[in-house]
Structure formats: C-alpha cells, structure tokens
C-alpha cells in the first residue's frame, strides 16, 4: 500500500510552487486582466438541514464576490482568484453557509512539453450537497479544504503524447465528532499515453493509483486501476468521449477501542463513463453518465453510478437559461458501511437577464431529493434565489 510521508508532501508542494513561480515570472509585462463578479440577493430554502418530514424552512439574504486576475503570454499563463460568500439568516445563524477562498494556477508551454499546477485553500461553514448526501448529520460544519495538483505532458511525436498528473486534497473540520464526517487526506497519481488516430479521433490509456486516509474513522483505502478512453469529434459542434476500465480497492479499517475487530477487505469492479457534447452558436448541451468511477477526490468515498445533463440556451443577446440535472446512486464497497447507501437527484434552473452593460438580474431554483436505503428515509429541499449581480466573468458564475 502506498504511503505519503511529510517529506514527500513537502517536496511535492515545493515543485508545484516552483512551477507557479516560473509561470508568474514569465508573464511579467504580458497581457493582464482583472475580472470582478459581485452580487447581493435574497433566498428561500424549504429544508436547509435536509431532514425527513417538514424540515427546517428558512429565509435569508446573501452577498457574494469573486475577483480573478489572469495574465498570459504565448508560452505561459498565470491565474489567481479570491472568492467570498456571506449569508444572513436571522434567528438561524447556525445554519448559514459562509465561504472564503483563494486559488492560484499556472501553465507553461515549451517546445515539446507543457507543465501546469494549481493550489487552492477554502474556509467554509457548509451544508453543501456532499455533506447532505452523507445522510449522517444535519448540522453545519466548519471546514478547511486544501487542494494541490500538477501535470506534465510530453509530445513524443506529432500524434503521440505522454502525460503524468499528481493531486492531493486535505479536509479538516473544527467541530468534528466521531462517526460523523471524517477528516481525510487524499492523494493520487496517474500516468497515460494518448495517440491521435486521425484528425478527429484520439485514443488514451491511463494507469492510476489513489490513497485515502480518514483520520477520524480509521479507514485507509488504496485504489489502483486502468481506463481506456476514446474521443471523437463528430462534427464542428458535436463531440463524444467514452472510457472503460477496471479498478481494485483495498481497505484497512482500524476500529475504535471497544468496538469490533479491525477489518481488511478488497473490492473489484469495472469503471466506465460517457459524455456527449454539443456546442452551437446559441445553445450548449452535455449528456454524461458513469458507473463505479474511481474517486477523483477525497470526498468521493464510495462507488457511485451517475447520469445527468446540462443545457445552456441563449434566447437573445441579453437573456440565457441554464438547466442542470444529475442523478446518482451511492453504494459502499464495505458491507459494514452500507448504512450510507443512498439515491439522490439534483436539479438546478437558472435564468439571467442583462439589464445594463454588466449588470444582471439572476433567478435560480434548485431541487434536491435524497433517499437513505438503510432506513427508507426520504428528504427533499427546494431552494429559490434572486439576486442583482455585476458580472465581468460569466464562466465563474
């Protein structure tokens, strides 16, 4: 089983920091841009704690802001961002979802290779879907989320390329209690080879390994596997890609004192995913599905099967609508944790009117349904929000 000691983590962080500094030094006096998004509005949530029955109905207001700096030359780029969200819920302050985060990313292109890296740190008080989907708690949690990632690609020939990527993610909760959400360290590495079969078709083979260490629960999992991806540009506006592979996860669970014996186990399954996209002048559509995908972050602790779609329609130069739907099944690899198995459905509808230049009126509706299979407990929530927003960076909204 892989281990990640403090020395290796420090070396990994130093390499990524060096890559970011190289990119930063290379974009001095390059094309620079600062983009600002800021908004204020009011919202209604029919069941903020996502409990079965009547739930916890709240009304509140919020302010959010995001500032993004980017600079680029022909060979490199660097990007930094700061984002904040503050909610007000009179009488229900303990249910507010507040967030503060910073991020930094850099990319460098060389004659036959490219190097990229990113770093982000976010402090939040959250009842996000990943917390709600756990089905264990109905409280906000103060969380510190740190992520680090990097990648390197080398062009062997005009058609062949080698890639390697590394990532790490750490989550800490200030007020965690045993048997609730677990603090964890996640890190992984993947290596791949890709070949352009022709001008419109590309084939890629990847090997990967990821390790998840949950401090509070005493669970360590090590996942290894492979996946083969095929991409096809059907037309100038249609594109699809599909992947198929296998994975094996090994688990070690050190039980708490006074509980049952320690547990070791292995789970094997196939992994597959599919994506079909349309990118037209006035509309964009993406359909996607996945079966037993390997965790790509520490928050994905169990096998999941999912399907969904996103659709963006521009009605005119000043109005557009976004619709997003996702259904997923969460199934634990471990029989002793099957109480976390659930089915979930999430839908989001957003409509944007541009009032003056960059001033917009935004309406947002979100629906979340969750069924816990162990207890047959069902809960749902309706979230409605309206805000006035100054938007210079539409892609970050």
């Amino acid at each position: 089983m892989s281990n990640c000691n403090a020395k290796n983590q420090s070396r990994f962080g130093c390499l990524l920091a060096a890559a970011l500094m190289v990119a930063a030094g290379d974009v001095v006096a390059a094309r620079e841009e600062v983009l600002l998004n800021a908004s204020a509005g009011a919202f209604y949530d029919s069941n903020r704690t996502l409990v079965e029955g009547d739930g916890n109905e709240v009304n509140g207001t919020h302010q959010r802001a995001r500032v993004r700096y980017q600079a680029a030359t022909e060979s490199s780029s660097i990007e930094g961002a700061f984002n904040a969200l503050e909610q007000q819920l009179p009488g229900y302050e303990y249910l507010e979802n507040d967030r503060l985060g910073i991020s930094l990313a850099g990319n460098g292109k060389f004659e036959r290779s490219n190097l990229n890296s990113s770093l982000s740190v976010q402090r939040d008080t959250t009842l996000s879907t990943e917390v709600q989907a756990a089905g264990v708690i109905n409280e906000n949690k103060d969380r510190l989320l740190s992520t680090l990632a990097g990648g390197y690609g080398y062009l062997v020939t005009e058609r062949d390329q080698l890639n390697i990527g590394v990532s790490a993610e750490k989550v800490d909760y200030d007020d965690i209690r045993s048997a609730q959400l677990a603090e964890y360290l996640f890190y992984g590495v993947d290596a791949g080879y890709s070949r352009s079969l022709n001008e419109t078709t590309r084939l890629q083979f990847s090997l990967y390994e990821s390790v998840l260490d949950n401090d509070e629960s005493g669970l360590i999992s090590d996942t290894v596997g492979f996946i083969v991806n095929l991409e096809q540009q059907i037309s100038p506006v249609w594109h699809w890609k599909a992947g198929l592979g296998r994975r094996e996860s090994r688990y070690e669970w050190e039980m708490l004192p006074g509980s049952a014996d320690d547990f070791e186990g292995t789970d094997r399954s196939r992994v597959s995913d599919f994506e079909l996209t349309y990118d037209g002048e006035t509309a964009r559509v993406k359909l996607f599905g996945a079966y037993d995908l390997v965790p790509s972050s520490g928050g994905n602790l169990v096998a999941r099967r999912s399907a969904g779609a996103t659709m963006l329609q521009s009605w005119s130069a000043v109005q557009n609508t976004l619709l997003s739907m996702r259904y997923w099944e969460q199934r634990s690899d471990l029989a002793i944790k099957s109480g976390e198995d659930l089915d979930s459905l999430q839908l989001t509808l957003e409509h944007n009117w541009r009032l003056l230049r960059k001033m917009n009126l935004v309406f947002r509706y979100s629906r979340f349904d969750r069924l816990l299979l162990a207890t047959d407990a069902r809960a749902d929530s309706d979230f409605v929000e309206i805000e006035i927003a100054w938007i210079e960076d539409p892609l970050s909204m």
Side-chain angles (χ1 to χ4, degrees), residues 47 51-56 378-380:
N47 189 0
V51 295
E52 189 177 21
D54 294 335
N56 202 324
R378 184 182 296 275
D380 58 73

Side-chain angles (χ1 to χ4, degrees), residues 44 57 82-83 111 143 224 229 279 291 302 350 384 386:
Y44 162 79
E57 188 177 30
F82 168 82
N83 68 85
E111 184 178 356
R143 179 181 69 167
V224 296
N229 290 290
D279 190 1
Y291 180 88
V302 292
E350 180 178 305
V384 180
I386 188 166

Side-chain angles (χ1 to χ4, degrees), residues 69-86:
Y69 167 81
Q70 58 184 11
T73 67
E74 292 183 358
S75 61
S76 63
S77 65
I78 188 169
E79 178 181 309
F82 168 82
N83 68 85
L85 167 67
E86 184 176 357

Side-chain angles (χ1 to χ4, degrees), residues 274 276 286-290 306-310 324-328:
F274 176 80
L276 175 66
K286 181 170 75 171
L287 307 176
F288 59 90
S306 62
T310 59
S324 174
M325 298 174 289
R326 186 166 73 102
Y327 170 80
W328 72 92

Side-chain angles (χ1 to χ4, degrees), residues 198-202 230-242 274-279 285 287:
N198 52 52
E199 293 183 356
T200 61
T201 307
R202 190 171 188 83
L230 181 65
E231 297 187 35
Q232 174 75 46
Q233 188 72 41
I234 305 172
S235 72
V237 295
W238 285 99
H239 174 269
W240 68 268
K241 63 179 180 179
F274 176 80
E275 182 178 294
L276 175 66
T277 60
Y278 170 82
D279 190 1
V285 179
L287 307 176

